[in-house]
Amino acid sequence: GKNLDYPTNRIQPMHVKWLGQDMGHRSRGTFVVTTAEADLENHCPDFLAMARQHDVRLQLVGDIHVLAHKKRSVPYRSGGALAGCWWNPRTNQLCPDLMPQGYLVYRVRGEKLEQFYKGLGQRVAIVSHRVGSAWQGQVKIQAHLVQPRKGECLEYSINGRDWQKMRETGRPFYRAVFAATVDSTSVPDGLLNLKVRNLNDGEIRSQVVVVANGRDAAPIRAGGTLEFTVGAPSNGWTKSKGPSGKVDVLLNGKTLGSLAPGARKAYTFPVPQSCLHLANTLSFRFSIRGDGMTVTAPVLKCDKTTLRDTRDMALRQVKAAHWGDAAADWGGFIVGEAEPPDESPFHRRQHVFCFVFGNNK
């Protein structure tokens, strides 16, 4: 058959030449933003030289269908996807990172680029907390309303019945931002379904968070174990990494043990019953600033119960719905500040994990 122009995903010489010529036509005082399916730094020969010559400031890509930003010689921003998980109806109109089907909206003023994510057909979005975020003490809620109309405002509810008005705090481009402060100690520890609504048209957005103030005891009388693997081999989307320095492992603020510098291996830490609460938080304390690592999804095992992080369970459902049941165990998380590793459909950046008894389904 006829030879294809693109036998691989590497940009061919004729198109590299065209790209350089096209960039050369930019007007004086302007800069360049590229759009491509994937990172041109990896797929276009001489791209970095072209970027320096023609002042390429940002790459807009869509290949991985998640909302992510990568710091590179030429920064790379992935803007979710209108297709969500490639138009798969079993994933409930979500992208692999649990963002709704949608897109980034940009504004350029002079040399300043601004952006925000907009869910398809949605004007209201909770922007302060992802799925499974830990709430402790005083918590600030933020949400935005796209294309606000005269007199519109947002309200929030933490019990599904009583609604409180949020205060408008700003008008960045194309939207209004609203905020409110919640005392998380006023509600029981455990899962909480935060809701925000537009009073005018009734649009409601919700987000499950975890109240973890350590006030409620775990419903068990024995201890357990915390298990995860550091630097496990990846599927190629995200480069695996072990920590460069020592890392302390903290459950509910108490040290369970530490991770060895450079080690890529499975860890099991005993967890005394006295350390456990109804809602538990796992965090990591790095001895070297800017350090980071990849980990498999941590699990907390107590008696015959296996607890998973709240966000991890939601991610597993989407992965299994799109790629099959085996995909639920693919990937894991990026912990810390190191870049790379980079986020992908199978690795999400996360610093605190939450385990809630009674939430292990």
Side-chain angles (χ1 to χ4, degrees):
K2 182 180 178 181
N3 290 331
L4 298 176
D5 286 341
Y6 278 83
T8 71
N9 62 2
R10 191 132 177 106
I11 295 179
Q12 300 300 293
M14 69 183 97
H15 298 121
V16 174
K17 180 180 178 181
W18 169 86
L19 183 60
Q21 291 173 342
D22 191 59
M23 290 182 183
H25 294 151
R26 68 187 177 97
S27 303
R28 181 186 295 273
T30 63
F31 58 89
V32 176
V33 175
T34 63
T35 60
E37 174 70 0
D39 185 356
L40 292 176
E41 187 171 335
N42 294 333
H43 299 284
C44 179
D46 301 322
F47 176 68
L48 291 182
M50 283 191 285
R52 288 190 293 268
Q53 180 181 355
H54 301 295
D55 196 12
V56 180
R57 302 283 182 88
L58 180 67
Q59 299 183 75
L60 305 183
V61 303
D63 180 41
I64 57 177
H65 287 222
V66 298
L67 186 62
H69 179 259
K70 300 183 181 182
K71 297 177 182 177
R72 291 292 187 273
S73 302
V74 181
Y76 161 132
R77 190 179 296 280
S78 172
L82 278 172
C85 278
W86 296 267
W87 303 115
N88 189 332
R90 295 188 298 274
T91 58
N92 297 319
Q93 293 79 51
L94 295 174
C95 294
D97 59 353
L98 306 180
M99 294 297 288
Q101 289 176 302
Y103 49 91
L104 280 170
V105 180
Y106 283 87
R107 181 175 73 172
V108 181
R109 281 192 169 182
E111 296 197 355
K112 183 179 181 181
L113 283 84
E114 302 172 83
Q115 77 283 322
F116 70 91
Y117 192 79
K118 184 181 184 302
L120 183 62
Q122 301 177 8
R123 296 175 60 220
V124 176
I126 298 170
V127 297
S128 55
H129 296 92
R130 58 162 176 76
V131 174
S133 292
W135 277 21
Q136 296 174 322
Q138 297 289 313
V139 178
K140 184 178 180 180
I141 303 168
Q142 286 186 303
H144 72 216
L145 177 63
V146 178
Q147 290 181 289
R149 300 162 189 153
K150 185 177 180 180
E152 285 189 312
C153 63
L154 298 183
E155 298 179 323
Y156 76 93
S157 175
I158 56 175
N159 61 16
R161 300 183 305 274
D162 304 314
W163 293 88
Q164 305 292 328
K165 188 174 181 179
M166 303 178 74
R167 67 187 183 281
E168 184 175 331
T169 60
R171 288 264 175 150
F173 84 100
Y174 211 48
R175 64 205 191 279
V177 176
F178 294 81
T181 300
V182 175
D183 180 6
S184 69
T185 63
S186 66
V187 293
D189 280 4
L191 299 183
L192 182 148
N193 192 15
L194 168 66
K195 294 184 178 182
V196 173
R197 74 178 180 186
N198 180 352
L199 185 60
N200 285 36
D201 64 12
E203 180 182 348
I204 297 177
R205 298 296 152 201
S206 62
Q207 197 77 288
V208 173
V209 297
V210 178
V211 179
N213 286 304
R215 298 183 305 167
D216 298 327
I220 59 170
R221 296 183 178 181
T225 58
L226 174 70
E227 302 176 11
F228 57 87
T229 298
V230 173
S234 71
N235 56 11
W237 287 71
T238 298
K239 183 179 179 181
S240 61
K241 184 183 185 306
S244 298
K246 177 186 173 185
V247 182
D248 292 326
V249 180
L250 309 175
L251 187 70
N252 297 322
K254 298 180 180 179
T255 303
L256 295 182
S258 61
L259 311 179
R264 302 186 183 193
K265 65 176 187 177
Y267 286 90
T268 298
F269 294 97
V271 179
Q273 193 277 337
S274 59
C275 286
L276 294 170
H277 304 311
L278 176 67
N280 304 272
T281 61
L282 168 66
S283 59
F284 298 89
R285 184 169 58 214
F286 292 87
S287 61
I288 298 177
R289 187 172 183 177
D291 200 2
M293 61 187 179
T294 55
V295 299
T296 56
V299 294
L300 181 60
K301 295 183 178 180
C302 299
D303 195 14
K304 297 180 180 180
T305 300
T306 297
L307 302 182
R308 291 187 175 274
D309 170 71
T310 305
R311 185 192 189 196
D312 177 42
M313 288 193 294
L315 290 167
R316 290 171 64 85
Q317 289 178 359
V318 172
K319 287 188 288 187
H322 185 68
W323 287 285
D325 291 343
D329 292 320
W330 292 355
F333 294 90
I334 304 165
V335 183
E337 300 176 355
E339 294 186 35
D342 300 315
E343 291 186 288
S344 74
F346 306 108
H347 279 84
R348 309 306 308 150
R349 193 171 294 277
Q350 185 166 324
H351 307 303
V352 177
F353 300 83
C354 296
F355 307 99
V356 182
F357 282 94
N359 183 39
N360 57 324
K361 296 181 180 180

